[in-house]
Amino acid sequence: MTDEIVYGRNAVWELLQSGKPVNKLLLQGEGTAGRFQDIVSHARAQKIPFQFVDKAALDRLTEKAKHQGILAYVAPREYAEVDDILALAGEKGEDPFILVLDEVEDPHNLGALIRTADAAGVHGVIIPKRRSVSLTATVAKTSAGAVEHVLVARVGNLVQTLKDLQKAGCWVSGAEAEGTEVYRSDLTGARVIVIGSEGKGLSRLVKETCDEIVSLPMKGRINSLNASVAGSILMYEVLRQRGSRN
């Protein structure tokens, strides 16, 4: 399964006008909008990420089709809003349970985390628009269909989103190697779990915004776990604690 792409000026313009979810635009050029000024203006207004690349990159991605210097990556499903996630928790009469991913770049990790989120009763997943993998066909395949059942929101400012969730009554727990052992933490109540990127972990500002830092005990010689593995363990610990308090 390959990620869906749309290319050609008219096709991309119609896609943007349709309101369908677009992950990213690639434009031929060296950093100026030029002949794509109208498309760039629309992308900025809709907060759609875009990047300038050379012709060879577009030739490779489109297998030398007539791309006219523009290509769009299309998401396999609509993105939700953060408010939709909170509303879903309210409809179910449950405290919000949200997974936030800080610059996770591997589509297989995102797909696996969405699959676990569905199984663990997470109300929604939040990802940033930049420096992060988006919803792609690879993510959808790895999720084993869970992407159709889990709300995924994409936000421009992750730190501000966390602050908004805190104002809404959520407690934010970031996962890092050094922190309070998760099995000694109270993870009940309205909860946001934040998982960092595969290589760098939590970014500085995100880490500083968290209400607490929790960690998994590591008894071996390796001091970290794959992002999807760590996230899955934490999600199930939240589920276990919620179940034990019912």
Side-chain angles (χ1 to χ4, degrees):
M1 181 183 289
T2 57
D3 296 342
E4 184 180 354
I5 61 174
V6 172
Y7 51 84
R9 184 183 181 89
N10 290 337
V12 170
W13 180 249
E14 290 301 322
L15 172 66
L16 294 174
Q17 295 299 304
S18 73
K20 292 181 179 178
V22 176
N23 283 331
K24 187 177 184 179
L25 295 176
L26 296 184
L27 307 168
Q28 183 178 326
E30 298 181 352
T32 57
R35 58 193 170 117
F36 300 116
Q37 184 62 58
D38 54 344
I39 290 176
V40 168
S41 295
H42 187 88
R44 283 180 173 145
Q46 298 299 316
K47 298 181 180 180
I48 298 171
F50 60 89
Q51 179 182 352
F52 292 98
V53 298
D54 59 24
K55 181 177 183 296
L58 293 174
D59 286 343
R60 182 175 66 257
L61 291 167
T62 62
E63 298 180 347
K64 296 186 177 180
K66 294 181 179 179
H67 50 71
Q68 297 177 304
I70 186 168
L71 176 151
Y73 286 103
V74 185
R77 61 156 293 178
E78 296 281 346
Y79 287 102
E81 299 293 334
V82 174
D83 286 344
D84 297 330
I85 297 173
L86 294 172
L88 177 61
E91 291 169 7
K92 292 186 173 183
E94 300 171 346
D95 288 326
F97 180 11
I98 301 171
L99 177 67
V100 172
L101 305 179
D102 181 16
E103 299 184 12
V104 169
E105 298 178 337
D106 187 334
H108 295 92
N109 277 337
L110 177 55
L113 284 162
I114 291 174
R115 184 174 184 177
T116 303
D118 178 56
V122 171
H123 297 113
V125 177
I126 299 174
I127 59 177
K129 286 187 176 181
R130 299 186 181 278
R131 295 185 296 278
S132 170
V133 64
S134 304
L135 289 182
T136 66
T138 301
V139 171
K141 182 177 180 180
T142 307
S143 79
V147 73
E148 297 296 332
H149 307 291
V150 176
L151 296 178
V152 179
R154 195 166 63 147
V155 300
N157 189 322
L158 203 57
V159 170
Q160 185 58 54
T161 298
L162 291 175
K163 291 179 179 178
D164 291 342
L165 289 170
Q166 288 168 328
K167 291 177 182 177
C170 295
W171 189 261
V172 179
S173 302
E176 280 278 85
E178 295 183 3
T180 303
E181 185 176 311
V182 68
Y183 302 121
R184 298 178 180 176
S185 299
D186 182 356
L187 300 180
T188 57
R191 181 67 44 175
V192 176
I193 297 293
V194 189
I195 302 297
S197 67
E198 294 86 354
K200 298 178 293 183
L202 298 177
S203 58
R204 181 180 62 82
L205 290 177
V206 166
K207 185 175 181 179
E208 291 175 356
T209 305
C210 292
D211 293 301
E212 66 176 350
I213 300 298
V214 297
S215 64
L216 293 168
M218 303 294 294
K219 303 301 183 182
R221 296 184 179 180
I222 305 300
N223 63 2
S224 65
L225 293 173
N226 173 277
S228 64
V229 174
S232 296
I233 294 172
L234 291 172
M235 281 187 277
Y236 263 91
E237 178 58 16
V238 174
L239 178 62
R240 185 192 71 81
Q241 291 194 21
R242 286 188 167 202
S244 67
R245 302 297 174 91
N246 290 339

